[in-house]
């Protein structure tokens, strides 16, 4: 299979997934207690009669269910994710405004957790059974059990409120009007804590996986050969073991990207990060269901895109994949 | 070595089990330790911890007793953790068993379905479900169950795939046992050990998920929950850190204990695997 075929196949699969999510959204609206028109209006039962009538006409709520589904899917297919009557703006517009901030946050958290996790796991495996291993394994266990929103709050207290090392909340310093490099630096400072806390759980996951993967490969024949021909332990573990051990970790990381997007809701809420997670939280408080479902759809689309991307990187990194797939 | 001895030889697992037992005892004794509702204002707001004997962990923004909230919250966390894990098992086990045993087209279709649920961001789905179905005990349990079953289905499918070629299953087929009977009486009983291990680890993630939901305000409004307590103290972090600190610590310790005990259980049930991992 060549690259174009592979990409086409993955795109079709991705579109099927998004289609299924649109159907899921449709049925979720119907599952809500009460009138679907009220749900779409997002006014917590206080929408006026004219608006409700408009919504019923627009979404064909007096038509048979299958007809309603058709109207709904047609909307999604033309990238119409509905309208937020609370904010008086189309949902897609609201989301696209906030998307760059979330992409930056989740991207940074992904890189931090993967980098840190692989490093910790590799170190633990090289020192298996010694104190470095115990420290890293224990740390991974702790990260794994810590509630994300709590560690975000606690790191906020310690690192920004008490020590004043990094800014407390927000995306950049308001009113500073930095440009160019100064602005990038300012945003990076604001990004530090959110990205670190969001990535913590996954750091633990990848560290454990990398450690197990390294230990498994360390027993392989080609590693014995490398050692037998007199390579130093450092070279063997870097060039022969780590390079092969990292592959399953990258696969897992690609699959886990979706959970990262979900976790962004908590991080963005705590750090007032102006992304789609924060948008989701605000929609939650206001019971603005159209926005809620729109964010759910877009974050699923993000995951699909992310999975295709990691698959692509993976194929480039390991040519053997092409032969087997 | 017996199962108990193997479990006891794992120090982490024993520590986990002890923490877990303490949490369970507190949860069971909640009504007698703090007979008043944890929602009631019982003292001055913002009382610091370790100062007054009546409020060992201080009071929150509305003068509610934090220790009482923690103990009552333990009941809620444990209950939701266990019940939603059962829901996930109830979905995942039959699905995985059917997929693995039937094979072919059925297997393909069911695995696509499972994959779909693994692709979508599970926390976002849980938020949407609870928000739309209204935050109540039932919808929270359902949402956590719905987002946590895919790994169970995969595990059970894999186990069933390897078991169905065994001789005793072939024998059952030969003597004409019905397929459901073979699945339930021959195959599934032999997959129980890995399911128990996975279930014990899932209770931990379910508790994390529940606390995250209630932190965002999606808890059952009638039930005191640790996540809600952390969220309630969020606005007063600087002057009253303890309001958010203690409930979060409780979540952390409980989930850590569940993970430690679950891993110990795994090693004790599969002694060969445990040795192979070192």
């Amino acid at each position: 299979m060549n690259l174009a075929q592979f990409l086409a196949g993955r795109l079709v699969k991705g579109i099927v997934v998004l289609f299924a999510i649109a159907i899921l959204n449709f049925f979720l609206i119907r599952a809500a207690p009460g009138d679907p028109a009220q749900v779409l209006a997002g006014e917590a039962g206080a929408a006026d009669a004219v608006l409700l009538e408009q919504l019923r006409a627009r979404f064909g709520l007096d038509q048979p269910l299958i007809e309603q589904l058709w109207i709904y899917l047609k909307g999604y297919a033309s990238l119409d994710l509905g309208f937020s009557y609370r904010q008086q703006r189309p949902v897609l517009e609201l989301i696209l405004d906030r998307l760059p901030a979330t992409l930056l946050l989740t991207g940074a958290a992904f890189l931090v957790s993967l980098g840190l996790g692989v490093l910790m796991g590799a170190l633990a495996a090289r020192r298996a059974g010694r104190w470095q291993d115990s420290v890293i394994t224990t740390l991974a266990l702790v990260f794994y059990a810590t509630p994300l929103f709590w560690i975000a709050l606690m790191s906020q207290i310690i690192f920004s409120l008490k020590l004043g090392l990094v800014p407390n909340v927000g995306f950049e310093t308001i009113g500073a009007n930095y440009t160019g490099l100064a602005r990038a630096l300012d945003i990076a400072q604001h990004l530090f804590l959110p990205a670190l806390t969001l990535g913590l759980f996954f750091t633990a996951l990848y560290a454990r996986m990398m450690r197990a993967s390294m230990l498994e490969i360390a027993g392989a024949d080609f590693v014995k050969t490398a050692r037998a021909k007199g390579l130093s332990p450092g070279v063997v573990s870097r060039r022969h073991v780590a390079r092969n051990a990292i592959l399953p970790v990258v696969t897992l990381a690609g699959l886990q990207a979706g959970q990262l997007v979900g976790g962004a809701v908590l991080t963005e809420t705590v750090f007032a990060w102006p992304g789609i997670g924060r948008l989701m939280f605000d929609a939650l408080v206001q019971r603005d269901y159209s926005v809620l479902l729109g964010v759910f759809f877009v974050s699923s689309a993000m995951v699909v895109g992310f999975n295709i991307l990691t698959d692509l990187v993976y194929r480039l990194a390991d040519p053997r994949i092409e032969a087997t797939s | 070595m017996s199962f108990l001895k193997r479990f006891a030889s794992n120090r982490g697992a024993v520590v986990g089990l002890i923490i877990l037992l303490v949490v369970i005892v507190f949860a069971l004794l909640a009504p007698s330790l703090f007979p008043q509702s944890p929602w009631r204002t019982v003292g001055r707001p913002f009382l610091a911890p370790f100062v007054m004997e009546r409020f060992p962990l201080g009071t929150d923004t509305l003068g509610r007793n934090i220790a009482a909230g923690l103990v009552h919250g333990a009941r809620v966390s444990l209950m939701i953790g266990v019940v939603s894990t059962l829901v996930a098992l109830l979905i995942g086990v039959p699905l995985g068993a059917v997929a693995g045993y039937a094979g072919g087209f059925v297997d393909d279709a069911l695995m696509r379905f499972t994959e779909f649920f693994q692709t979508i961001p599970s926390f976002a789905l849980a938020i949407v479900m609870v928000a739309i179905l209204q935050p109540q005990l039932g919808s929270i349990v359902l949402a956590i169950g719905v987002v946590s079953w895919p790994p169970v289905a995969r595990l059970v499918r894999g186990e069933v795939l390897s078991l169905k070629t065994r001789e005793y299953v072939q024998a059952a087929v030969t003597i004409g046992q019905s397929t459901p009977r073979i699945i339930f009486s021959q195959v599934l009983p032999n997959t129980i050990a890995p399911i128990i291990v996975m279930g014990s680890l899932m209770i931990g993630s379910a508790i994390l998920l529940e606390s995250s939901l209630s932190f965002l305000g999606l808890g059952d409004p009638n039930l005191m929950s640790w996540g809600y307590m952390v969220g309630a103290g969020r606005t007063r972090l600087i002057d009253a850190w303890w309001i958010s600190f203690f409930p979060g610590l409780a979540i952390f310790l409980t989930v850590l204990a569940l993970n430690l005990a679950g891993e110990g259980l795994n090693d004790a049930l599969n002694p060969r695997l445990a040795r192979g991992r070192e």
Side-chain angles (χ1 to χ4, degrees), chain A residues 13 20-21 28 32-33 141 144 149-150 156 208 258-259 262 269 289 293 300 303, chain B residues 115-116 119-123 128 131-132 215 234 237 244-245 248 259-260 263:
Chain A
K13 214 173 150 189
I21 286 170
L28 274 169
L141 207 62
Y144 199 72
F149 55 90
W150 182 67
Q156 215 176 27
R208 287 166 73 151
Q259 316 314 322
T269 302
Y289 295 117
L293 292 169
S300 306
V303 174
Chain B
E115 234 173 69
F116 170 70
T119 310
I120 51 184
S122 60
F123 187 54
V128 170
I132 288 190
F215 172 76
R234 185 158 89 81
L237 268 186
S244 290
F245 177 76
N259 286 343
L260 285 171
E263 269 177 24

mmCIF file of all heavy atoms in Angstrom, chain A residues 13 20-21 28 32-33 141 144 149-150 156 208 258-259 262 269 289 293 300 303, chain B residues 115-116 119-123 128 131-132 215 234 237 244-245 248 259-260 263:
data_model
loop_
_atom_site.group_PDB
_atom_site.id
_atom_site.type_symbol
_atom_site.label_atom_id
_atom_site.label_comp_id
_atom_site.label_asym_id
_atom_site.label_seq_id
_atom_site.Cartn_x
_atom_site.Cartn_y
_atom_site.Cartn_z
ATOM 1 N N LYS A 13 -12.079 6.447 6.858
ATOM 2 C CA LYS A 13 -12.380 5.913 8.183
ATOM 3 C C LYS A 13 -12.696 7.043 9.162
ATOM 4 O O LYS A 13 -13.647 6.952 9.946
ATOM 5 C CB LYS A 13 -11.163 5.119 8.674
ATOM 6 C CG LYS A 13 -11.520 3.931 9.519
ATOM 7 C CD LYS A 13 -10.276 3.113 9.812
ATOM 8 C CE LYS A 13 -10.402 2.421 11.134
ATOM 9 N NZ LYS A 13 -9.128 1.794 11.540
ATOM 10 N N ALA A 20 -20.611 9.046 12.620
ATOM 11 C CA ALA A 20 -21.209 8.325 13.747
ATOM 12 C C ALA A 20 -21.374 9.246 14.949
ATOM 13 O O ALA A 20 -22.361 9.146 15.691
ATOM 14 C CB ALA A 20 -20.353 7.121 14.108
ATOM 15 N N ILE A 21 -20.421 10.164 15.129
ATOM 16 C CA ILE A 21 -20.528 11.075 16.272
ATOM 17 C C ILE A 21 -21.680 12.052 16.072
ATOM 18 O O ILE A 21 -22.407 12.388 17.023
ATOM 19 C CB ILE A 21 -19.194 11.792 16.500
ATOM 20 C CG1 ILE A 21 -18.214 10.792 17.103
ATOM 21 C CG2 ILE A 21 -19.356 12.982 17.429
ATOM 22 C CD1 ILE A 21 -16.824 11.256 17.174
ATOM 23 N N LEU A 28 -28.417 12.099 21.488
ATOM 24 C CA LEU A 28 -28.233 12.667 22.834
ATOM 25 C C LEU A 28 -29.236 13.799 23.069
ATOM 26 O O LEU A 28 -29.811 13.911 24.146
ATOM 27 C CB LEU A 28 -26.806 13.188 22.990
ATOM 28 C CG LEU A 28 -25.779 12.147 23.437
ATOM 29 C CD1 LEU A 28 -24.370 12.689 23.305
ATOM 30 C CD2 LEU A 28 -26.050 11.735 24.871
ATOM 31 N N ALA A 32 -32.375 13.901 26.074
ATOM 32 C CA ALA A 32 -32.536 14.880 27.149
ATOM 33 C C ALA A 32 -33.990 14.924 27.583
ATOM 34 O O ALA A 32 -34.885 14.802 26.758
ATOM 35 C CB ALA A 32 -32.094 16.254 26.668
ATOM 36 N N PRO A 33 -34.202 15.093 28.887
ATOM 37 C CA PRO A 33 -35.582 15.192 29.344
ATOM 38 C C PRO A 33 -36.220 16.459 28.786
ATOM 39 O O PRO A 33 -35.580 17.510 28.732
ATOM 40 C CB PRO A 33 -35.456 15.251 30.867
ATOM 41 C CG PRO A 33 -34.035 15.539 31.158
ATOM 42 C CD PRO A 33 -33.229 15.190 29.963
ATOM 43 N N LEU A 141 3.698 5.983 39.563
ATOM 44 C CA LEU A 141 2.512 5.520 40.282
ATOM 45 C C LEU A 141 1.752 6.707 40.866
ATOM 46 O O LEU A 141 0.524 6.764 40.822
ATOM 47 C CB LEU A 141 2.972 4.568 41.401
ATOM 48 C CG LEU A 141 1.993 3.519 41.855
ATOM 49 C CD1 LEU A 141 1.659 2.581 40.722
ATOM 50 C CD2 LEU A 141 2.578 2.745 43.025
ATOM 51 N N TYR A 144 0.051 8.795 38.253
ATOM 52 C CA TYR A 144 -1.045 8.024 37.690
ATOM 53 C C TYR A 144 -2.315 8.160 38.518
ATOM 54 O O TYR A 144 -3.410 8.059 38.009
ATOM 55 C CB TYR A 144 -0.613 6.558 37.621
ATOM 56 C CG TYR A 144 -1.418 5.712 36.682
ATOM 57 C CD1 TYR A 144 -1.276 5.852 35.315
ATOM 58 C CD2 TYR A 144 -2.311 4.773 37.157
ATOM 59 C CE1 TYR A 144 -2.004 5.083 34.442
ATOM 60 C CE2 TYR A 144 -3.041 3.990 36.291
ATOM 61 C CZ TYR A 144 -2.886 4.150 34.938
ATOM 62 O OH TYR A 144 -3.613 3.390 34.072
ATOM 63 N N PHE A 149 -7.257 17.925 38.007
ATOM 64 C CA PHE A 149 -7.695 19.271 38.395
ATOM 65 C C PHE A 149 -7.095 19.685 39.727
ATOM 66 O O PHE A 149 -6.818 20.852 39.967
ATOM 67 C CB PHE A 149 -9.226 19.332 38.456
ATOM 68 C CG PHE A 149 -9.841 18.304 39.358
ATOM 69 C CD1 PHE A 149 -10.060 18.573 40.683
ATOM 70 C CD2 PHE A 149 -10.192 17.042 38.872
ATOM 71 C CE1 PHE A 149 -10.610 17.624 41.520
ATOM 72 C CE2 PHE A 149 -10.752 16.092 39.696
ATOM 73 C CZ PHE A 149 -10.960 16.381 41.029
ATOM 74 N N TRP A 150 -6.840 18.703 40.580
ATOM 75 C CA TRP A 150 -6.290 19.000 41.903
ATOM 76 C C TRP A 150 -4.819 19.379 41.800
ATOM 77 O O TRP A 150 -4.373 20.367 42.381
ATOM 78 C CB TRP A 150 -6.481 17.780 42.809
ATOM 79 C CG TRP A 150 -6.014 17.960 44.217
ATOM 80 C CD1 TRP A 150 -6.554 18.787 45.153
ATOM 81 C CD2 TRP A 150 -4.917 17.293 44.838
ATOM 82 N NE1 TRP A 150 -5.868 18.671 46.328
ATOM 83 C CE2 TRP A 150 -4.859 17.765 46.170
ATOM 84 C CE3 TRP A 150 -3.987 16.347 44.417
ATOM 85 C CZ2 TRP A 150 -3.908 17.317 47.075
ATOM 86 C CZ3 TRP A 150 -3.044 15.898 45.314
ATOM 87 C CH2 TRP A 150 -2.995 16.381 46.634
ATOM 88 N N GLN A 156 -0.696 25.603 41.022
ATOM 89 C CA GLN A 156 -1.007 27.030 40.926
ATOM 90 C C GLN A 156 -0.655 27.733 42.250
ATOM 91 O O GLN A 156 -0.022 28.786 42.247
ATOM 92 C CB GLN A 156 -2.500 27.175 40.660
ATOM 93 C CG GLN A 156 -2.861 28.321 39.768
ATOM 94 C CD GLN A 156 -4.343 28.330 39.479
ATOM 95 O OE1 GLN A 156 -5.154 27.844 40.274
ATOM 96 N NE2 GLN A 156 -4.711 28.878 38.351
ATOM 97 N N ARG A 208 5.891 4.065 32.259
ATOM 98 C CA ARG A 208 5.694 2.645 32.590
ATOM 99 C C ARG A 208 5.807 1.789 31.352
ATOM 100 O O ARG A 208 6.414 0.711 31.358
ATOM 101 C CB ARG A 208 4.329 2.460 33.230
ATOM 102 C CG ARG A 208 4.290 2.987 34.637
ATOM 103 C CD ARG A 208 2.886 3.101 35.138
ATOM 104 N NE ARG A 208 2.334 1.795 35.414
ATOM 105 C CZ ARG A 208 1.409 1.587 36.333
ATOM 106 N NH1 ARG A 208 0.956 2.572 37.053
ATOM 107 N NH2 ARG A 208 0.936 0.388 36.537
ATOM 108 N N GLY A 258 -6.806 11.437 22.295
ATOM 109 C CA GLY A 258 -8.178 11.837 22.575
ATOM 110 C C GLY A 258 -8.395 12.157 24.045
ATOM 111 O O GLY A 258 -9.104 13.106 24.389
ATOM 112 N N GLN A 259 -7.771 11.368 24.909
ATOM 113 C CA GLN A 259 -7.944 11.607 26.342
ATOM 114 C C GLN A 259 -7.311 12.936 26.726
ATOM 115 O O GLN A 259 -7.774 13.637 27.615
ATOM 116 C CB GLN A 259 -7.338 10.470 27.159
ATOM 117 C CG GLN A 259 -7.650 9.082 26.637
ATOM 118 C CD GLN A 259 -9.113 8.899 26.282
ATOM 119 O OE1 GLN A 259 -9.993 9.406 26.953
ATOM 120 N NE2 GLN A 259 -9.379 8.211 25.188
ATOM 121 N N GLY A 262 -9.754 15.616 26.048
ATOM 122 C CA GLY A 262 -10.780 15.633 27.094
ATOM 123 C C GLY A 262 -10.257 16.284 28.367
ATOM 124 O O GLY A 262 -10.934 17.103 28.982
ATOM 125 N N THR A 269 -10.083 25.009 32.484
ATOM 126 C CA THR A 269 -10.960 25.603 33.481
ATOM 127 C C THR A 269 -10.152 26.171 34.643
ATOM 128 O O THR A 269 -10.382 27.288 35.090
ATOM 129 C CB THR A 269 -11.957 24.553 34.003
ATOM 130 O OG1 THR A 269 -12.688 24.058 32.898
ATOM 131 C CG2 THR A 269 -12.906 25.142 35.002
ATOM 132 N N TYR A 289 -26.428 23.691 25.213
ATOM 133 C CA TYR A 289 -26.130 22.350 24.725
ATOM 134 C C TYR A 289 -25.579 22.326 23.306
ATOM 135 O O TYR A 289 -24.808 21.440 22.958
ATOM 136 C CB TYR A 289 -27.370 21.466 24.815
ATOM 137 C CG TYR A 289 -27.812 21.225 26.226
ATOM 138 C CD1 TYR A 289 -29.038 21.662 26.691
ATOM 139 C CD2 TYR A 289 -26.969 20.557 27.128
ATOM 140 C CE1 TYR A 289 -29.443 21.454 27.998
ATOM 141 C CE2 TYR A 289 -27.362 20.346 28.425
ATOM 142 C CZ TYR A 289 -28.600 20.789 28.857
ATOM 143 O OH TYR A 289 -28.979 20.585 30.149
ATOM 144 N N LEU A 293 -22.298 20.156 22.427
ATOM 145 C CA LEU A 293 -22.224 19.096 21.428
ATOM 146 C C LEU A 293 -21.246 19.464 20.318
ATOM 147 O O LEU A 293 -20.539 18.603 19.789
ATOM 148 C CB LEU A 293 -23.616 18.822 20.844
ATOM 149 C CG LEU A 293 -24.591 18.205 21.836
ATOM 150 C CD1 LEU A 293 -25.995 18.222 21.281
ATOM 151 C CD2 LEU A 293 -24.179 16.776 22.169
ATOM 152 N N SER A 300 -13.569 15.481 18.839
ATOM 153 C CA SER A 300 -13.449 14.163 18.216
ATOM 154 C C SER A 300 -12.744 14.282 16.869
ATOM 155 O O SER A 300 -11.905 13.431 16.524
ATOM 156 C CB SER A 300 -14.824 13.542 17.994
ATOM 157 O OG SER A 300 -15.548 13.522 19.181
ATOM 158 N N VAL A 303 -9.139 14.488 17.413
ATOM 159 C CA VAL A 303 -8.544 13.186 17.713
ATOM 160 C C VAL A 303 -8.324 12.390 16.428
ATOM 161 O O VAL A 303 -7.260 11.791 16.229
ATOM 162 C CB VAL A 303 -9.454 12.393 18.667
ATOM 163 C CG1 VAL A 303 -8.924 11.002 18.856
ATOM 164 C CG2 VAL A 303 -9.568 13.106 19.972
ATOM 165 N N GLU B 115 -13.788 0.091 18.767
ATOM 166 C CA GLU B 115 -12.774 1.046 18.329
ATOM 167 C C GLU B 115 -13.335 2.461 18.299
ATOM 168 O O GLU B 115 -12.675 3.415 18.680
ATOM 169 C CB GLU B 115 -12.316 0.661 16.925
ATOM 170 C CG GLU B 115 -10.828 0.487 16.761
ATOM 171 C CD GLU B 115 -10.532 -0.045 15.379
ATOM 172 O OE1 GLU B 115 -10.728 0.707 14.416
ATOM 173 O OE2 GLU B 115 -10.130 -1.227 15.265
ATOM 174 N N PHE B 116 -14.575 2.557 17.811
ATOM 175 C CA PHE B 116 -15.228 3.864 17.751
ATOM 176 C C PHE B 116 -15.268 4.504 19.134
ATOM 177 O O PHE B 116 -14.914 5.662 19.319
ATOM 178 C CB PHE B 116 -16.640 3.701 17.180
ATOM 179 C CG PHE B 116 -17.488 4.933 17.293
ATOM 180 C CD1 PHE B 116 -17.208 6.051 16.520
ATOM 181 C CD2 PHE B 116 -18.553 4.977 18.168
ATOM 182 C CE1 PHE B 116 -17.981 7.191 16.620
ATOM 183 C CE2 PHE B 116 -19.335 6.111 18.269
ATOM 184 C CZ PHE B 116 -19.048 7.224 17.506
ATOM 185 N N THR B 119 -11.949 5.766 20.188
ATOM 186 C CA THR B 119 -11.435 6.940 19.489
ATOM 187 C C THR B 119 -11.972 8.231 20.098
ATOM 188 O O THR B 119 -11.226 9.178 20.287
ATOM 189 C CB THR B 119 -11.848 6.904 18.001
ATOM 190 O OG1 THR B 119 -11.512 5.637 17.479
ATOM 191 C CG2 THR B 119 -11.152 7.987 17.221
ATOM 192 N N ILE B 120 -13.278 8.269 20.395
ATOM 193 C CA ILE B 120 -13.845 9.534 20.839
ATOM 194 C C ILE B 120 -13.300 9.900 22.208
ATOM 195 O O ILE B 120 -13.056 9.038 23.041
ATOM 196 C CB ILE B 120 -15.385 9.502 20.861
ATOM 197 C CG1 ILE B 120 -15.897 8.288 21.619
ATOM 198 C CG2 ILE B 120 -15.937 9.515 19.475
ATOM 199 C CD1 ILE B 120 -17.393 8.177 21.575
ATOM 200 N N PRO B 121 -13.068 11.193 22.433
ATOM 201 C CA PRO B 121 -12.518 11.633 23.718
ATOM 202 C C PRO B 121 -13.480 11.275 24.838
ATOM 203 O O PRO B 121 -14.582 11.812 24.912
ATOM 204 C CB PRO B 121 -12.377 13.149 23.565
ATOM 205 C CG PRO B 121 -12.901 13.508 22.239
ATOM 206 C CD PRO B 121 -13.311 12.296 21.501
ATOM 207 N N SER B 122 -13.064 10.336 25.701
ATOM 208 C CA SER B 122 -14.022 9.752 26.631
ATOM 209 C C SER B 122 -14.509 10.760 27.666
ATOM 210 O O SER B 122 -15.686 10.775 28.009
ATOM 211 C CB SER B 122 -13.415 8.530 27.310
ATOM 212 O OG SER B 122 -12.262 8.898 28.009
ATOM 213 N N PHE B 123 -13.617 11.618 28.138
ATOM 214 C CA PHE B 123 -14.049 12.562 29.165
ATOM 215 C C PHE B 123 -15.069 13.550 28.588
ATOM 216 O O PHE B 123 -16.057 13.883 29.247
ATOM 217 C CB PHE B 123 -12.849 13.299 29.758
ATOM 218 C CG PHE B 123 -13.199 14.157 30.930
ATOM 219 C CD1 PHE B 123 -13.875 13.624 32.008
ATOM 220 C CD2 PHE B 123 -12.864 15.498 30.946
ATOM 221 C CE1 PHE B 123 -14.212 14.418 33.088
ATOM 222 C CE2 PHE B 123 -13.198 16.293 32.027
ATOM 223 C CZ PHE B 123 -13.871 15.756 33.098
ATOM 224 N N VAL B 128 -20.717 15.462 28.171
ATOM 225 C CA VAL B 128 -21.915 15.710 27.369
ATOM 226 C C VAL B 128 -23.076 14.854 27.866
ATOM 227 O O VAL B 128 -24.205 15.332 28.046
ATOM 228 C CB VAL B 128 -21.614 15.423 25.882
ATOM 229 C CG1 VAL B 128 -22.886 15.445 25.068
ATOM 230 C CG2 VAL B 128 -20.641 16.452 25.331
ATOM 231 N N ALA B 131 -24.346 16.088 31.306
ATOM 232 C CA ALA B 131 -24.988 17.399 31.209
ATOM 233 C C ALA B 131 -26.369 17.266 30.579
ATOM 234 O O ALA B 131 -27.337 17.876 31.049
ATOM 235 C CB ALA B 131 -24.130 18.349 30.388
ATOM 236 N N ILE B 132 -26.469 16.473 29.536
ATOM 237 C CA ILE B 132 -27.743 16.381 28.825
ATOM 238 C C ILE B 132 -28.767 15.536 29.577
ATOM 239 O O ILE B 132 -29.941 15.873 29.640
ATOM 240 C CB ILE B 132 -27.508 15.855 27.396
ATOM 241 C CG1 ILE B 132 -26.845 16.978 26.600
ATOM 242 C CG2 ILE B 132 -28.802 15.412 26.744
ATOM 243 C CD1 ILE B 132 -26.749 16.734 25.137
ATOM 244 N N PHE B 215 -16.174 18.014 39.964
ATOM 245 C CA PHE B 215 -15.372 19.249 40.041
ATOM 246 C C PHE B 215 -15.931 20.291 39.067
ATOM 247 O O PHE B 215 -15.975 21.483 39.364
ATOM 248 C CB PHE B 215 -13.917 18.941 39.701
ATOM 249 C CG PHE B 215 -13.043 20.161 39.555
ATOM 250 C CD1 PHE B 215 -12.603 20.860 40.664
ATOM 251 C CD2 PHE B 215 -12.653 20.610 38.304
ATOM 252 C CE1 PHE B 215 -11.813 21.985 40.531
ATOM 253 C CE2 PHE B 215 -11.850 21.728 38.164
ATOM 254 C CZ PHE B 215 -11.433 22.423 39.283
ATOM 255 N N ARG B 234 -12.075 26.317 45.117
ATOM 256 C CA ARG B 234 -11.186 26.798 44.061
ATOM 257 C C ARG B 234 -11.002 28.311 44.081
ATOM 258 O O ARG B 234 -9.919 28.818 43.804
ATOM 259 C CB ARG B 234 -11.793 26.358 42.724
ATOM 260 C CG ARG B 234 -11.012 26.634 41.512
ATOM 261 C CD ARG B 234 -11.496 25.683 40.434
ATOM 262 N NE ARG B 234 -12.609 26.224 39.677
ATOM 263 C CZ ARG B 234 -12.468 27.094 38.683
ATOM 264 N NH1 ARG B 234 -11.268 27.505 38.361
ATOM 265 N NH2 ARG B 234 -13.496 27.527 38.024
ATOM 266 N N LEU B 237 -8.329 29.833 46.924
ATOM 267 C CA LEU B 237 -7.093 29.059 47.040
ATOM 268 C C LEU B 237 -6.067 29.724 47.937
ATOM 269 O O LEU B 237 -5.394 29.068 48.739
ATOM 270 C CB LEU B 237 -6.464 28.894 45.648
ATOM 271 C CG LEU B 237 -6.836 27.666 44.856
ATOM 272 C CD1 LEU B 237 -6.014 27.606 43.593
ATOM 273 C CD2 LEU B 237 -6.602 26.426 45.698
ATOM 274 N N SER B 244 -9.613 22.962 49.317
ATOM 275 C CA SER B 244 -9.387 22.151 48.117
ATOM 276 C C SER B 244 -8.373 21.038 48.356
ATOM 277 O O SER B 244 -8.400 20.023 47.672
ATOM 278 C CB SER B 244 -8.873 23.023 46.967
ATOM 279 O OG SER B 244 -9.878 23.867 46.505
ATOM 280 N N PHE B 245 -7.475 21.265 49.335
ATOM 281 C CA PHE B 245 -6.362 20.325 49.491
ATOM 282 C C PHE B 245 -6.812 18.951 49.992
ATOM 283 O O PHE B 245 -6.496 17.932 49.384
ATOM 284 C CB PHE B 245 -5.312 20.920 50.438
ATOM 285 C CG PHE B 245 -4.166 19.994 50.719
ATOM 286 C CD1 PHE B 245 -3.175 19.808 49.770
ATOM 287 C CD2 PHE B 245 -4.094 19.293 51.908
ATOM 288 C CE1 PHE B 245 -2.127 18.953 50.011
ATOM 289 C CE2 PHE B 245 -3.052 18.428 52.155
ATOM 290 C CZ PHE B 245 -2.060 18.261 51.207
ATOM 291 N N GLY B 248 -8.835 16.568 47.640
ATOM 292 C CA GLY B 248 -7.973 16.085 46.557
ATOM 293 C C GLY B 248 -7.031 15.008 47.049
ATOM 294 O O GLY B 248 -6.794 13.998 46.375
ATOM 295 N N ASN B 259 -4.880 1.218 42.849
ATOM 296 C CA ASN B 259 -3.906 0.789 41.852
ATOM 297 C C ASN B 259 -2.896 -0.182 42.452
ATOM 298 O O ASN B 259 -2.547 -1.192 41.838
ATOM 299 C CB ASN B 259 -3.168 1.998 41.268
ATOM 300 C CG ASN B 259 -4.049 2.777 40.309
ATOM 301 O OD1 ASN B 259 -5.066 2.279 39.845
ATOM 302 N ND2 ASN B 259 -3.669 4.000 40.034
ATOM 303 N N LEU B 260 -2.413 0.148 43.668
ATOM 304 C CA LEU B 260 -1.436 -0.726 44.325
ATOM 305 C C LEU B 260 -2.040 -2.100 44.580
ATOM 306 O O LEU B 260 -1.441 -3.131 44.270
ATOM 307 C CB LEU B 260 -0.975 -0.107 45.643
ATOM 308 C CG LEU B 260 -0.007 1.074 45.535
ATOM 309 C CD1 LEU B 260 0.182 1.719 46.904
ATOM 310 C CD2 LEU B 260 1.331 0.616 44.978
ATOM 311 N N GLU B 263 -2.568 -4.045 41.327
ATOM 312 C CA GLU B 263 -1.349 -4.630 40.779
ATOM 313 C C GLU B 263 -0.905 -5.831 41.597
ATOM 314 O O GLU B 263 -0.444 -6.831 41.044
ATOM 315 C CB GLU B 263 -0.238 -3.589 40.726
ATOM 316 C CG GLU B 263 -0.250 -2.869 39.400
ATOM 317 C CD GLU B 263 0.785 -1.761 39.320
ATOM 318 O OE1 GLU B 263 1.776 -1.827 40.062
ATOM 319 O OE2 GLU B 263 0.578 -0.843 38.520
#
